[in-house]
Amino acid sequence: MQLMAWSEYEISYDLNNDYSIRMADSEEWGLYCSIYYNMQYNGFFKEEGFNSAQRNAFWIYRGESKIGGVRMSPNRIYHLFVIPPFNDTFVVLKLLKKLLIYWSDSTKPIKTFEVLPDQVQLFARAGFWPDEFRCRWMHRPTDHFEVEWNEELRIESPQIEDNGMGAKRFILDEQIAECNYASFDGSLEATRRKKFSYEDFIPSEEPNYTNEVLLTASTLVYDKKSGQLIANCLLGLQDDYAAVYSIGVIPAYRGKGIATRMLKRGLNLLKDKYPILRLYVMEGNDAESVYLNLGFVPGVQEIQSMYIPMHD
Protein backbone atom coordinates (compact mmCIF):
# COMPACT_ATOMS: atom_id res chain seq x y z
CA MET A 1 0.00 0.00 0.00
CA GLN A 2 1.39 3.42 -1.03
CA LEU A 3 1.00 6.23 1.51
CA MET A 4 -0.42 9.49 0.19
CA ALA A 5 1.34 12.85 0.58
CA TRP A 6 -0.29 15.57 2.67
CA SER A 7 -2.79 17.92 1.07
CA GLU A 8 -4.99 20.39 2.89
CA TYR A 9 -7.87 19.30 0.67
CA GLU A 10 -7.46 15.51 0.65
CA ILE A 11 -10.50 13.82 2.21
CA SER A 12 -9.06 10.49 3.36
CA TYR A 13 -5.78 8.60 3.79
CA ASP A 14 -5.24 4.87 4.23
CA LEU A 15 -3.01 3.86 7.14
CA ASN A 16 -2.96 0.16 6.16
CA ASN A 17 -5.49 -2.34 4.82
CA ASP A 18 -7.64 -2.03 7.98
CA TYR A 19 -7.25 1.54 9.24
CA SER A 20 -7.75 4.94 7.63
CA ILE A 21 -8.27 8.57 8.59
CA ARG A 22 -10.94 10.80 7.06
CA MET A 23 -11.36 14.57 7.15
CA ALA A 24 -13.88 15.57 9.84
CA ASP A 25 -16.30 18.43 10.33
CA SER A 26 -14.72 20.53 13.08
CA GLU A 27 -17.94 21.05 15.07
CA GLU A 28 -18.86 17.37 15.29
CA TRP A 29 -15.25 16.30 15.77
CA GLY A 30 -14.85 18.85 18.57
CA LEU A 31 -17.87 17.42 20.38
CA TYR A 32 -16.38 13.92 20.33
CA CYS A 33 -12.96 15.21 21.41
CA SER A 34 -14.51 17.12 24.31
CA ILE A 35 -15.96 13.80 25.57
CA TYR A 36 -13.22 11.28 24.83
CA TYR A 37 -9.90 13.15 24.89
CA ASN A 38 -9.36 13.35 28.65
CA MET A 39 -12.17 13.89 31.11
CA GLN A 40 -10.05 15.52 33.82
CA TYR A 41 -8.57 17.95 31.28
CA ASN A 42 -11.95 18.56 29.65
CA GLY A 43 -13.48 19.45 32.98
CA PHE A 44 -10.94 22.25 33.15
CA PHE A 45 -11.47 23.39 29.54
CA LYS A 46 -15.09 22.39 29.05
CA GLU A 47 -15.92 25.77 27.49
CA GLU A 48 -13.45 25.30 24.64
CA GLY A 49 -15.11 22.54 22.65
CA PHE A 50 -11.93 21.60 20.72
CA ASN A 51 -13.68 22.82 17.57
CA SER A 52 -11.03 25.01 15.93
CA ALA A 53 -11.85 25.43 12.24
CA GLN A 54 -8.41 24.30 10.99
CA ARG A 55 -8.49 21.62 8.30
CA ASN A 56 -6.49 19.11 10.31
CA ALA A 57 -9.20 17.23 12.23
CA PHE A 58 -9.59 13.59 11.19
CA TRP A 59 -11.76 10.66 12.19
CA ILE A 60 -9.89 7.38 12.62
CA TYR A 61 -11.63 4.38 11.06
CA ARG A 62 -11.15 0.63 11.32
CA GLY A 63 -12.96 -0.63 8.29
CA GLU A 64 -16.19 1.35 8.29
CA SER A 65 -16.29 1.81 12.08
CA LYS A 66 -15.33 5.19 13.53
CA ILE A 67 -12.97 4.39 16.41
CA GLY A 68 -11.32 7.72 17.26
CA GLY A 69 -10.03 11.08 16.17
CA VAL A 70 -6.84 13.11 15.86
CA ARG A 71 -5.55 16.48 14.72
CA MET A 72 -2.49 16.14 12.51
CA SER A 73 -0.64 17.85 9.67
CA PRO A 74 3.00 17.83 8.57
CA ASN A 75 5.33 17.77 11.61
CA ARG A 76 2.56 17.90 14.22
CA ILE A 77 0.01 15.63 15.89
CA TYR A 78 -2.23 16.32 18.89
CA HIS A 79 -5.64 15.69 20.52
CA LEU A 80 -5.54 11.95 19.82
CA PHE A 81 -8.49 10.03 21.28
CA VAL A 82 -10.26 6.70 20.80
CA ILE A 83 -13.93 5.86 21.18
CA PRO A 84 -14.84 2.91 23.47
CA PRO A 85 -15.02 -0.03 23.25
CA PHE A 86 -11.94 0.38 21.00
CA ASN A 87 -8.87 0.73 23.22
CA ASP A 88 -5.75 -0.18 21.23
CA THR A 89 -4.47 3.40 21.02
CA PHE A 90 -0.85 2.32 20.56
CA VAL A 91 -1.55 0.40 17.35
CA VAL A 92 -3.31 3.47 15.96
CA LEU A 93 -0.53 5.85 17.03
CA LYS A 94 2.14 3.70 15.33
CA LEU A 95 0.20 3.85 12.06
CA LEU A 96 -0.37 7.60 12.41
CA LYS A 97 3.35 8.10 13.10
CA LYS A 98 4.28 6.24 9.89
CA LEU A 99 1.99 8.48 7.82
CA LEU A 100 3.16 11.59 9.67
CA ILE A 101 6.83 10.84 8.91
CA TYR A 102 5.88 10.45 5.24
CA TRP A 103 4.10 13.83 5.28
CA SER A 104 6.67 15.79 7.24
CA ASP A 105 9.75 17.89 6.53
CA SER A 106 12.57 15.59 7.65
CA THR A 107 14.80 18.54 8.56
CA LYS A 108 12.40 19.54 11.34
CA PRO A 109 11.19 17.62 14.41
CA ILE A 110 7.71 16.12 14.57
CA LYS A 111 5.92 17.47 17.64
CA THR A 112 2.97 16.80 19.88
CA PHE A 113 1.94 19.47 22.37
CA GLU A 114 0.80 19.79 25.98
CA VAL A 115 0.94 16.04 26.55
CA LEU A 116 -1.36 14.94 29.35
CA PRO A 117 -0.28 12.42 32.00
CA ASP A 118 -2.30 9.52 30.58
CA GLN A 119 -0.63 9.85 27.15
CA VAL A 120 3.02 10.47 28.09
CA GLN A 121 3.95 6.78 28.09
CA LEU A 122 1.89 6.18 24.96
CA PHE A 123 3.87 8.73 22.94
CA ALA A 124 7.15 7.64 24.54
CA ARG A 125 6.53 4.02 23.38
CA ALA A 126 5.96 5.39 19.88
CA GLY A 127 9.37 7.07 19.86
CA PHE A 128 8.56 10.63 20.95
CA TRP A 129 11.07 12.24 23.29
CA PRO A 130 9.78 14.43 26.16
CA ASP A 131 11.23 17.89 26.64
CA GLU A 132 12.34 18.84 30.14
CA PHE A 133 9.59 21.30 30.98
CA ARG A 134 6.31 20.48 32.70
CA CYS A 135 3.64 23.13 32.59
CA ARG A 136 -0.06 23.61 33.15
CA TRP A 137 -2.82 26.00 32.31
CA MET A 138 -4.41 28.04 35.08
CA HIS A 139 -7.54 30.12 34.87
CA ARG A 140 -10.01 32.15 36.88
CA PRO A 141 -13.19 34.14 36.19
CA THR A 142 -12.77 37.76 35.23
CA ASP A 143 -14.01 40.06 38.00
CA HIS A 144 -14.27 43.65 39.18
CA PHE A 145 -11.20 44.93 41.03
CA GLU A 146 -10.25 48.36 42.34
CA VAL A 147 -6.59 48.79 41.42
CA GLU A 148 -4.51 51.52 43.03
CA TRP A 149 -1.15 52.44 41.50
CA ASN A 150 1.85 54.17 43.02
CA GLU A 151 1.92 57.82 41.94
CA GLU A 152 5.46 57.33 40.65
CA LEU A 153 4.19 54.95 37.96
CA ARG A 154 2.40 55.68 34.67
CA ILE A 155 -0.02 53.12 33.24
CA GLU A 156 -0.80 52.72 29.55
CA SER A 157 -2.21 50.12 27.17
CA PRO A 158 -0.14 48.99 24.16
CA GLN A 159 -1.11 50.07 20.66
CA ILE A 160 -0.78 48.23 17.34
CA GLU A 161 -0.07 49.46 13.84
CA ASP A 162 0.41 47.90 10.42
CA ASN A 163 4.10 47.28 9.79
CA GLY A 164 3.78 48.19 6.11
CA MET A 165 4.18 44.58 4.97
CA GLY A 166 0.70 43.29 5.71
CA ALA A 167 1.39 42.31 9.32
CA LYS A 168 0.86 44.01 12.67
CA ARG A 169 3.35 45.23 15.25
CA PHE A 170 3.25 46.82 18.67
CA ILE A 171 4.15 50.48 18.26
CA LEU A 172 6.51 50.15 21.23
CA ASP A 173 7.76 46.66 20.39
CA GLU A 174 11.42 47.59 21.05
CA GLN A 175 10.61 48.92 24.53
CA ILE A 176 8.55 45.79 25.27
CA ALA A 177 11.43 43.61 24.08
CA GLU A 178 13.90 45.49 26.31
CA CYS A 179 11.58 45.09 29.29
CA ASN A 180 11.07 41.37 28.72
CA TYR A 181 14.76 40.78 28.02
CA ALA A 182 15.61 42.42 31.35
CA SER A 183 12.83 40.44 33.07
CA PHE A 184 13.61 36.97 31.71
CA ASP A 185 17.18 36.85 30.39
CA GLY A 186 18.90 33.69 31.62
CA SER A 187 15.82 32.36 33.41
CA LEU A 188 14.28 28.90 33.04
CA GLU A 189 11.23 30.55 31.49
CA ALA A 190 13.42 32.05 28.76
CA THR A 191 15.01 28.64 28.20
CA ARG A 192 11.59 27.00 27.94
CA ARG A 193 10.53 29.55 25.35
CA LYS A 194 13.92 29.26 23.59
CA LYS A 195 14.56 32.99 23.91
CA PHE A 196 18.23 33.84 24.38
CA SER A 197 18.82 37.24 22.78
CA TYR A 198 17.15 40.65 22.78
CA GLU A 199 15.76 39.96 19.30
CA ASP A 200 14.03 36.80 20.57
CA PHE A 201 11.93 38.94 22.90
CA ILE A 202 10.51 41.24 20.20
CA PRO A 203 6.75 40.40 20.26
CA SER A 204 6.30 39.56 16.57
CA GLU A 205 3.45 37.02 16.74
CA GLU A 206 1.40 38.42 19.61
CA PRO A 207 -0.04 41.44 17.71
CA ASN A 208 -1.76 39.04 15.31
CA TYR A 209 -3.64 37.24 18.10
CA THR A 210 -5.32 40.07 19.95
CA ASN A 211 -8.09 42.66 19.55
CA GLU A 212 -9.10 46.06 20.90
CA VAL A 213 -10.66 44.65 24.07
CA LEU A 214 -7.55 42.63 24.92
CA LEU A 215 -5.23 45.48 24.01
CA THR A 216 -7.08 47.81 26.37
CA ALA A 217 -6.82 45.22 29.15
CA SER A 218 -3.07 44.76 28.50
CA THR A 219 -0.75 46.89 30.61
CA LEU A 220 2.47 48.84 30.19
CA VAL A 221 3.96 50.25 33.41
CA TYR A 222 6.45 53.14 33.27
CA ASP A 223 8.60 54.76 35.90
CA LYS A 224 7.55 58.42 35.56
CA LYS A 225 10.91 59.77 36.67
CA SER A 226 13.11 57.77 34.26
CA GLY A 227 10.51 57.15 31.55
CA GLN A 228 11.58 53.49 31.49
CA LEU A 229 9.09 50.69 30.75
CA ILE A 230 9.55 48.55 33.85
CA ALA A 231 6.71 46.00 33.53
CA ASN A 232 4.19 44.72 31.02
CA CYS A 233 1.34 42.26 30.78
CA LEU A 234 0.21 41.36 27.24
CA LEU A 235 -3.13 39.64 26.71
CA GLY A 236 -4.15 37.77 23.57
CA LEU A 237 -6.43 35.05 22.24
CA GLN A 238 -5.97 31.36 23.01
CA ASP A 239 -8.52 29.89 20.62
CA ASP A 240 -11.48 32.18 21.41
CA TYR A 241 -10.54 32.87 25.03
CA ALA A 242 -8.56 35.58 26.76
CA ALA A 243 -5.07 34.52 27.82
CA VAL A 244 -1.92 36.08 29.24
CA TYR A 245 0.71 35.91 26.51
CA SER A 246 3.50 37.37 28.61
CA ILE A 247 3.96 39.11 31.92
CA GLY A 248 7.23 40.53 33.15
CA VAL A 249 8.67 42.94 35.74
CA ILE A 250 12.32 43.97 35.60
CA PRO A 251 14.29 42.83 38.68
CA ALA A 252 14.74 46.25 40.33
CA TYR A 253 10.96 46.68 40.62
CA ARG A 254 9.96 43.23 41.83
CA GLY A 255 8.34 42.65 45.20
CA LYS A 256 6.12 45.75 44.89
CA GLY A 257 2.93 43.96 43.76
CA ILE A 258 3.14 45.23 40.17
CA ALA A 259 2.42 41.84 38.56
CA THR A 260 -0.62 41.39 40.80
CA ARG A 261 -1.92 44.85 39.87
CA MET A 262 -1.44 44.23 36.15
CA LEU A 263 -3.42 41.00 36.37
CA LYS A 264 -6.17 42.64 38.46
CA ARG A 265 -6.38 45.46 35.91
CA GLY A 266 -6.76 42.89 33.12
CA LEU A 267 -9.37 40.86 35.00
CA ASN A 268 -11.33 44.03 35.74
CA LEU A 269 -11.31 45.40 32.18
CA LEU A 270 -12.28 42.01 30.73
CA LYS A 271 -15.26 41.58 33.05
CA ASP A 272 -18.49 41.26 31.00
CA LYS A 273 -16.41 40.86 27.81
CA TYR A 274 -14.60 37.55 28.43
CA PRO A 275 -15.76 35.19 31.21
CA ILE A 276 -12.33 33.67 31.93
CA LEU A 277 -8.66 34.67 31.81
CA ARG A 278 -6.11 31.89 31.25
CA LEU A 279 -2.35 31.65 31.57
CA TYR A 280 0.26 28.95 31.01
CA VAL A 281 2.81 28.45 33.77
CA MET A 282 5.91 26.31 34.09
CA GLU A 283 6.29 24.04 37.10
CA GLY A 284 8.44 25.81 39.68
CA ASN A 285 7.97 29.30 38.23
CA ASP A 286 8.18 31.83 41.07
CA ALA A 287 5.13 33.64 39.68
CA GLU A 288 2.90 30.62 40.33
CA SER A 289 2.26 31.83 43.89
CA VAL A 290 1.07 35.19 42.51
CA TYR A 291 -1.46 33.41 40.32
CA LEU A 292 -2.66 31.14 43.13
CA ASN A 293 -3.10 34.09 45.48
CA LEU A 294 -5.24 35.80 42.83
CA GLY A 295 -7.54 32.79 42.63
CA PHE A 296 -6.23 31.16 39.45
CA VAL A 297 -7.05 27.44 39.52
CA PRO A 298 -4.36 25.03 38.25
CA GLY A 299 -5.22 22.44 35.62
CA VAL A 300 -3.59 19.11 34.83
CA GLN A 301 0.19 19.19 34.70
CA GLU A 302 1.56 18.38 31.24
CA ILE A 303 4.82 17.81 29.44
CA GLN A 304 4.91 20.89 27.26
CA SER A 305 5.90 18.98 24.15
CA MET A 306 7.21 15.63 22.96
CA TYR A 307 8.96 15.21 19.66
CA ILE A 308 10.57 12.90 17.15
CA PRO A 309 13.94 14.49 16.33
CA MET A 310 14.96 15.52 12.83
CA HIS A 311 15.25 12.34 10.81
CA ASP A 312 17.14 13.37 7.67
Side-chain angles (χ1 to χ4, degrees):
M1 186 200 73
Q2 178 64 40
L3 295 174
M4 293 177 60
W6 162 259
S7 168
E8 186 178 356
Y9 302 102
E10 190 64 45
I11 299 301
S12 66
Y13 301 86
D14 289 334
L15 300 175
N16 64 9
N17 292 332
D18 297 320
Y19 291 88
S20 63
I21 59 173
R22 305 177 190 178
M23 188 75 73
D25 172 77
S26 292
E27 289 291 333
E28 183 183 10
W29 187 95
L31 174 64
Y32 273 70
C33 187
S34 69
I35 294 171
Y36 294 114
Y37 177 47
N38 179 293
M39 289 307 297
Q40 186 178 5
Y41 187 74
N42 293 337
F44 189 70
F45 284 106
K46 60 180 181 292
E47 309 89 354
E48 186 171 334
F50 298 95
N51 59 353
S52 167
Q54 301 173 64
R55 291 179 62 85
N56 65 354
F58 292 92
W59 297 119
I60 304 167
Y61 277 82
R62 183 172 62 179
E64 292 302 311
S65 298
K66 184 191 299 181
I67 54 92
V70 66
R71 282 196 181 273
M72 58 187 285
S73 57
N75 293 93
R76 59 173 52 201
I77 179 172
Y78 57 104
H79 288 171
L80 171 64
F81 64 90
V82 295
I83 303 170
F86 185 84
N87 61 8
D88 201 344
T89 315
F90 184 58
V91 166
V92 169
L93 180 56
K94 286 195 299 182
L95 294 171
L96 294 173
K97 172 189 170 183
K98 184 177 179 181
L99 178 61
L100 191 57
I101 289 174
Y102 187 74
W103 283 356
S104 297
D105 180 346
S106 63
T107 67
K108 299 177 182 178
I110 294 171
K111 289 189 175 183
T112 185
F113 304 94
E114 298 171 14
V115 186
L116 303 172
D118 63 346
Q119 289 195 338
V120 170
Q121 290 304 314
L122 172 72
F123 278 92
R125 285 177 63 201
F128 286 77
W129 300 3
D131 73 15
E132 64 271 42
F133 299 112
R134 284 163 172 76
C135 305
R136 59 187 175 191
W137 285 97
M138 302 179 73
H139 68 192
R140 66 149 294 156
T142 55
D143 204 353
H144 292 300
F145 286 97
E146 293 292 332
V147 186
E148 296 184 1
W149 293 94
N150 188 305
E151 292 183 356
E152 297 176 353
L153 302 177
R154 184 177 84 252
I155 310 304
E156 297 182 3
S157 294
Q159 301 296 317
I160 284 177
E161 66 179 3
D162 190 289
N163 69 354
M165 296 180 288
K168 299 175 181 178
R169 63 175 290 270
F170 286 116
I171 292 175
L172 300 173
D173 60 359
E174 293 185 357
Q175 288 189 32
I176 294 170
E178 289 171 0
C179 179
N180 284 337
Y181 183 58
S183 299
F184 298 113
D185 182 37
S187 69
L188 279 176
E189 182 66 18
T191 302
R192 177 181 78 83
R193 295 175 179 265
K194 297 179 172 58
K195 294 185 175 184
F196 306 106
S197 67
Y198 160 78
E199 289 77 11
D200 293 333
F201 287 91
I202 296 174
S204 58
E205 294 183 359
E206 291 87 338
N208 299 302
Y209 295 96
T210 190
N211 56 39
E212 286 300 322
V213 170
L214 293 167
L215 278 175
T216 300
S218 298
T219 305
L220 304 178
V221 182
Y222 290 87
D223 183 312
K224 286 182 180 179
K225 185 175 181 179
S226 67
Q228 182 184 12
L229 179 65
I230 55 94
N232 73 91
C233 178
L234 302 181
L235 308 184
L237 286 172
Q238 190 266 326
D239 293 316
D240 294 325
Y241 294 87
V244 177
Y245 263 36
S246 67
I247 180 169
V249 181
I250 66 174
Y253 290 83
R254 290 175 186 165
K256 302 177 184 296
I258 293 175
T260 296
R261 289 180 174 85
M262 290 192 296
L263 287 168
K264 283 184 174 181
R265 179 177 183 271
L267 289 162
N268 182 57
L269 292 174
L270 292 179
K271 177 66 175 172
D272 301 324
K273 299 177 179 69
Y274 286 92
I276 287 170
L277 180 62
R278 294 175 172 167
L279 52 85
Y280 198 57
V281 62
M282 182 180 67
E283 178 184 19
N285 190 321
D286 292 340
E288 194 168 11
S289 62
V290 173
Y291 308 143
L292 290 168
N293 288 337
L294 269 175
F296 282 84
V297 177
V300 179
Q301 196 161 87
E302 325 160 326
I303 291 181
Q304 186 183 16
S305 68
M306 298 181 71
Y307 61 97
I308 298 173
M310 295 179 292
H311 49 284
D312 203 10

